[in-house]
Amino acid sequence: AQSVTQLGSHVSVSEGALVLLRCNYSSSVPPYLFWYVQYPNQGLQLLLKYTTGATLVKGINGFEAEFKKSETSFHLTKPSAHMSDAAEYFCAAHSGNTPLVFGKGTRLSVIA
Amino acid sequence: GAVVSQHPSWVICKSGTSVKIECRSLDFQATTMFWYRQFPKQSLMLMATSNEGSKATYEQGVEKDKFLINHASLTLSTLTVTSAHPEDSSFYICSAPGPNGYEQYFGPGTRLTVT
């Protein structure tokens, strides 16, 4: 069964600092991997996805993630945090036409 | 891109009443849709898989008689919360696999408050 682990329920960074949100997956087959952002009282917004091909994936708002099969990881990064990046971030995975399995989420705080 | 809508976006109902939430794929057909529930400060948890033309598949611990799912057409799935109680208050989100088969498209969610 698919599972997704997000290390750190809360990450706090200074404005302008590097953002690193960690995600590991457990799967017997390489999954499709996603990062979503959720602002308070809103739905999910897709940041980026990995399906096949290039392992470094660029998304919206300056975010990117690298699929590392050997580490079963899909960590999300952004070189320079902005106040507007403060939100809840979810890593998710599935292996085909199946429901997404979500990590528990990481709340990102950005300090001025 | 593929768009999924939900209606209503928020609803307040009294304890003991039923509430219906609609999930529509606007520009593509979806033989399968997924219903998730999200409690405050928690992640999304899959409730059930809605299948057009057949019965829904419920996750363990989800009462199928309380959360009625009907996949009426290739673009519409409905979730009815029957005899709602305050503990059913939550954010309900639907999704549907898009035409490419790997990306899922989420509705904007429905905030249910049971008083």
Side-chain angles (χ1 to χ4, degrees), chain A residues 6 32 34 36 38 40-44 46 49 51 88 90 94 96-105 107, chain B residues 31-32 34 36 38 41-46 49 59 91 93 95 97 100-104 106-109 111:
Chain A
Q6 289 183 241
Y32 299 121
F34 305 82
Y36 292 89
Q38 186 179 35
N41 297 312
Q42 293 188 27
L44 297 176
L46 179 66
K49 60 181 181 285
T51 54
E88 189 82 20
F90 294 98
H94 74 87
N97 199 21
T98 56
L100 275 169
V101 175
F102 286 87
K104 292 186 180 296
R107 181 165 59 92
Chain B
T31 57
T32 299
F34 303 110
Y36 298 84
Q38 184 182 32
K41 299 188 185 302
Q42 294 187 27
S43 187
L44 282 76
M45 295 298 295
L46 179 68
T49 302
E59 296 299 299
F91 194 50
I93 305 175
S95 73
N100 57 29
Y102 56 78
E103 186 166 350
Q104 294 192 16
F106 285 85
R111 172 78 57 195

Side-chain angles (χ1 to χ4, degrees), chain A residues 2-40:
Chain A
Q2 188 73 260
S3 68
V4 175
T5 302
Q6 289 183 241
L7 294 176
S9 60
H10 182 208
V11 170
S12 184
V13 300
S14 298
E15 191 175 19
L18 171 71
V19 175
L20 171 61
L21 304 182
R22 300 178 186 275
C23 173
N24 289 88
Y25 66 91
S26 171
S27 174
S28 59
V29 297
Y32 299 121
L33 296 160
F34 305 82
W35 275 99
Y36 292 89
V37 61
Q38 186 179 35
Y39 296 98

Side-chain angles (χ1 to χ4, degrees), chain B residues 26-103:
Chain B
L26 298 185
D27 50 3
F28 66 102
Q29 294 183 336
T31 57
T32 299
M33 290 184 176
F34 303 110
W35 286 96
Y36 298 84
R37 180 168 53 184
Q38 184 182 32
F39 291 109
K41 299 188 185 302
Q42 294 187 27
S43 187
L44 282 76
M45 295 298 295
L46 179 68
M47 297 177 65
T49 302
S50 173
N51 304 297
E52 190 271 335
S54 64
K55 291 182 178 180
T57 304
Y58 291 82
E59 296 299 299
Q60 191 172 12
V62 178
E63 300 174 58
K64 62 180 181 180
D65 295 329
K66 179 172 183 62
F67 298 98
L68 302 180
I69 290 174
N70 181 28
H71 202 131
S73 72
L74 287 173
T75 60
L76 173 65
S77 174
T78 60
L79 168 67
T80 301
V81 183
T82 63
S83 186
H85 288 94
E87 58 265 31
D88 299 324
S89 298
S90 187
F91 194 50
Y92 292 86
I93 305 175
C94 70
S95 73
N100 57 29
Y102 56 78
E103 186 166 350

Side-chain angles (χ1 to χ4, degrees), chain A residues 44-65:
Chain A
L44 297 176
Q45 181 181 10
L46 179 66
L47 279 176
L48 48 78
K49 60 181 181 285
Y50 170 79
T51 54
T52 59
T55 56
L56 181 62
V57 180
K58 295 186 184 298
I60 62 171
N61 301 338
F63 285 95
E64 61 182 38

